Amino acid sequence: MASNHSMPCSLGVIGLGRMAQALVLPLLKQGELAPQQLVAVVGSGASVERLADQLPIGLRLKAADDPTAAEAWMAPIQLLAVKPQQLDQIVASAARLKQTADRPQLLISVLAGVSLARLQQAFPAHACVRAVPNTPALVGAGLTGLSWGEGVTPEQRLAVERLFLPVSEVLELPESQLDAFLALTSSGPAYVALVVEAMADGAVAAGLPRSLAHHLAHRTLAGTAALLKEQKLHPAELKDMVTSPGGTTIAALRKLERAGVRSALIEAVVAAAQRSRELA
């Protein structure tokens, strides 16, 4: 994905929601991709008008029912970023629009729970990749798990990595591990947000103003994550560092253990992984 403005479309984006924008906009900003090299297909003409005001000038937006949306399907790479339940509709639309491409094509899917086998069946002319990014990619602090389908070339692998590396750490995983990866990293921000919200509520109950409680909870989360990372601490080590005999922290931890918080979080990750397998 070089920045030669004279090149034809080199990336077709099918669905341009927040995650797709988080992946594409850094490439545009860094000059890895010129706006003219990207064609994005969105649901309707109204979506085209709304997004046109928010996105870089020159970026080509097409409604799904626009015949010229076929250009997105002629690119060497497609990023598929719609809702999983829209897959059959997208396959039908692609079949209606698509002409025969004159070079190998790659499909990168960020659809949760849609297997490589199903993608390959839906897009038999493509090499397929499953990607599981998480929402911290929106601020350049994401994690992305990648599983490669058959026939993905080394050049295509590099192109995939270039798409995700500006906004996330990239890990290559066997597809059998993607459900657990999703349960921890993609659903995980919701678990953490719930804990932070509850901590802030506790501080309010203990007498702090709401705005201050939220600020302190957010800062405590960020500082704790930084400390764990920078000093390479096991979580149990950090817990022991701040837990003194007969003190406030052990009294609080005792309450958490009695309430089954640790077990609940374990079961939450397992349940999310199981649900991902069911959706597949």
Side-chain angles (χ1 to χ4, degrees):
M1 287 185 280
S3 56
N4 181 350
H5 288 233
S6 64
M7 282 182 63
C9 172
S10 58
L11 178 65
V13 180
I14 316 302
L16 195 60
R18 293 179 71 195
M19 184 56 72
Q21 289 182 42
L23 297 171
V24 167
L25 293 180
L27 294 175
L28 296 170
K29 186 175 181 181
Q30 295 165 16
E32 287 283 325
L33 192 71
Q36 296 88 344
Q37 292 174 259
L38 187 150
V39 174
V41 180
V42 297
S44 65
S47 297
V48 170
E49 290 182 17
R50 176 176 53 82
L51 289 167
D53 294 332
Q54 304 170 12
L55 298 171
I57 294 171
L59 192 151
R60 289 177 289 171
L61 297 169
K62 309 285 186 182
D65 58 0
D66 183 340
T68 64
E71 191 175 356
W73 290 104
M74 295 300 293
I77 302 172
Q78 280 84 42
L79 172 66
L80 186 61
V82 296
K83 293 181 174 63
Q85 57 267 33
Q86 294 176 306
L87 178 61
D88 291 341
Q89 177 187 340
I90 293 299
V91 172
S93 175
R96 187 176 69 252
L97 291 170
K98 196 174 184 308
Q99 306 160 36
T100 304
D102 58 0
R103 49 190 163 175
Q105 288 186 290
L106 176 72
L107 182 88
I108 306 166
S109 168
V110 297
L111 276 59
V114 178
S115 69
L116 282 169
R118 188 174 172 202
L119 290 169
Q120 201 66 73
Q121 183 180 28
F123 301 97
H126 287 71
C128 296
V129 178
R130 274 188 72 185
V132 181
N134 66 351
T135 49
L138 296 169
V139 292
L143 287 163
T144 299
L146 296 176
S147 287
W148 309 107
E150 293 181 10
V152 180
T153 67
E155 293 79 9
Q156 288 173 330
R157 288 189 183 219
L158 284 173
V160 174
E161 290 167 358
R162 281 207 299 274
L163 181 62
F164 291 99
L165 279 173
V167 296
S168 67
E169 180 182 343
V170 173
L171 298 93
E172 297 182 21
L173 298 168
E175 188 176 20
S176 61
Q177 294 180 9
L178 282 187
D179 294 309
F181 181 88
L182 177 149
L184 177 58
T185 66
S186 295
S187 300
Y191 320 149
V192 174
L194 186 71
V195 170
V196 173
E197 182 187 32
M199 288 169 59
D201 283 346
V204 171
L208 288 183
R210 171 67 65 184
S211 59
L212 179 60
H214 277 152
H215 172 72
L216 296 177
H218 297 165
R219 287 290 297 158
T220 300
L221 172 67
T224 303
L227 183 58
L228 285 167
K229 181 180 179 182
E230 295 302 321
Q231 296 197 4
K232 296 181 172 60
L233 295 172
H234 187 282
E237 289 182 277
L238 179 51
K239 173 179 67 73
D240 290 350
M241 281 171 59
V242 297
T243 306
S244 54
T248 58
T249 306
I250 193 62
L253 290 172
R254 186 180 173 192
K255 280 281 189 184
L256 292 172
E257 292 289 4
R258 188 177 296 165
V261 170
R262 181 197 301 262
S263 177
L265 287 169
I266 292 170
E267 294 305 317
V269 176
V270 172
Q274 180 58 37
R275 182 58 179 154
S276 179
R277 293 186 190 102
E278 290 170 359
L279 290 171

